[in-house]
Amino acid sequence: MDSGYILTFAALSSQFLVGLSRAMILFIVCSGMSFVLGVLRVPNVAHGSLYMIGAFSAFSISTLFGGSSTGFWLALIISPLVVALVSLIAERALFCHLYEREHLMLLLFTFALMLILGDLVKLTWGADYRSIMAPPFLRGSIPIFGSSFPRYNLFLLIVGPVVAISLYLFTNKTKIGKIARAAAVDREMVGAVGINVSWVFAAAFVIGCYLAGLGGALVAPMVSITLGMDHDIIIEAFLIVTIGGLGNMWGALVGSLIFGITQAFGVLFWPQFAIVFPYLAVVIILILRPTGMLKSVW
Amino acid sequence: MLEVEEIHTFYGLSHILFGVSLSIESGKVVCMLGRNGAGKSTTLKSIIGITPPKKGSIRFKGEEITGKQPFMLVRMGIGYAPDERRIFADLTVEDNLEIAERKVEGGERWDKERAYEVFPVLENIGSRRGGCLSGGEQKMLAIARALMCNPELLLLDEPFEGLAPVMVKVLEDQIGTLKETGLTVLLAEQNVKTTLRLSDHGYIIDDGKIRYQGSVEELKENEEVRRKYLFI
Ligand SMILES: Nc1ncnc2c1ncn2[C@@H]1O[C@H](COP(=O)(O)OP(=O)(O)OP(=O)(O)O)[C@@H](O)[C@H]1O
Ligand SMILES: [Mg+2]
């Protein structure tokens, strides 16, 4: 048998899984952004900052528990809630007065918020690189398809679908989820059936931001936690929600898969230019389908 | 039950309603007739607070409601079925009803079952997406959805528009039944015959002003007014 072939297959499949697990993080972050975009019509540039806050909070919580497993699990539960709280305050104090404004205003406003949150993170956590450890049983690698595959990525491959299913159940089976879907299309009529749209928006915003925080907490053991994380993710996130179809959560899933997997294969085929591949995919998709892969609610 | 006094409503800079006044007694069906662009929809939207009037006052059950948000007015007991229907297209028929449902202490309470009793057609298509309904089905769903808010006063904007004659008859009977349960209705319509059969009192609106008002008997007899403002 040709050993070169086996090697390629092993490398391909393992790289595919790496891309897939990276896509899970992107999906969790981008589905939240897309949800906010769909229901509130707010293109939230500060979404990436909330992701960064999620990662830094995970660092603090994990450190508080001396880097133990308990610390990791608590970080995973609490840091998204911290982010949700921050976003609730931002929504009630700032966003709720701005929904009727034009998109350019909202872009500028959320851009300003991104800068402010970036500075607050710097004040709180400093400019150093931080990192946290996953619990022992999620460290190291296991062999899959004849090549080794990081256990933590495998963990992400479980978390991603769990989040996707929860989101599906939330938007399709709960009353608030259904109201949010209705408000995405016709918010005035939602008010005209006796629903206080203002609170629906607050809830939708907090849920979207919670997902940013969850993404940040999940990515924390894989990357160095640092200022600038917000910029990196927000650019990717905007591209993903655009190629997926603005405001469509499942579009965010499709977009994340495309982005994550092209990135992973890029590393394999042309490492120096790996970063180019996902952007190339974005360009091709936008030429073929300018409104994104799935139906946009805009 | 409802007193509208001298309201002036604008869309941006364009002045649409010029001092419209209406008064609706509890338990009555009152109609507002007028040709296209007369200001019927605008009057209903002013009452429900979607386009709040700049001047004038609206009182509901004795309470001043001018400037209140639509959701508060709905909770106070005003139901609204718009002429463009505005069904939530992504949601099923059942979900369209469910999200409008409201738990209330005592009193008249609407739920899905009761809505299906009034509009049996909807029960068979309960799991269909709102966007996939025919115009007539959407009309009924819009009314059923408004009823789910447990209204004491129902604002119906052109419920008969675009319906086949058989369906007009069915809907007429259903509105009649609702009236018997004590519901107060304000009906904006162009279908003069059916509307007058249902109504106790009528208003004629044209160019944003009330041109005539009177009991249905008076309206039926006053051919001059009907010819002038309704072309019939
Ligand atoms: N959103 C809007 N912006 C600007 N002008 C509007 C708007 N909606 C309605 N108008 C204008 O207000 C006037 C009254 O409209 P309205 O919808 O109240 O009429 P209507 O009596 O309901 O007519 P129809 O029988 O055609 O439904 C019309 O001249 C219309 O052009
Ligand atoms: Mg109208």
Side-chain angles (χ1 to χ4, degrees), chain B residues 94-138:
Chain B
E94 220 174 298
D95 291 345
N96 264 279
L97 295 175
E98 189 196 314
I99 69 168
E101 191 174 352
R102 184 153 294 283
K103 303 202 168 30
V104 284
E105 312 277 316
E108 282 289 288
R109 189 164 172 254
W110 282 84
D111 54 20
K112 252 183 301 195
E113 283 64 43
R114 200 169 153 206
Y116 288 152
E117 265 168 43
V118 181
F119 300 104
V121 208
L122 295 179
E123 184 158 20
N124 306 324
I125 51 171
S127 56
R128 201 177 294 172
R129 277 183 63 242
C132 304
L133 302 187
S134 77
E137 290 163 342
Q138 289 194 2

Side-chain angles (χ1 to χ4, degrees), chain A residues 175 178 181 186 188 194, chain B residues 75 86 95 98 101-102:
Chain A
K175 189 163 172 177
K178 290 171 189 173
R181 272 162 60 218
D186 191 344
E188 192 174 74
Chain B
R75 289 180 186 183
R86 298 172 73 168
D95 291 345
E98 189 196 314
E101 191 174 352
R102 184 153 294 283

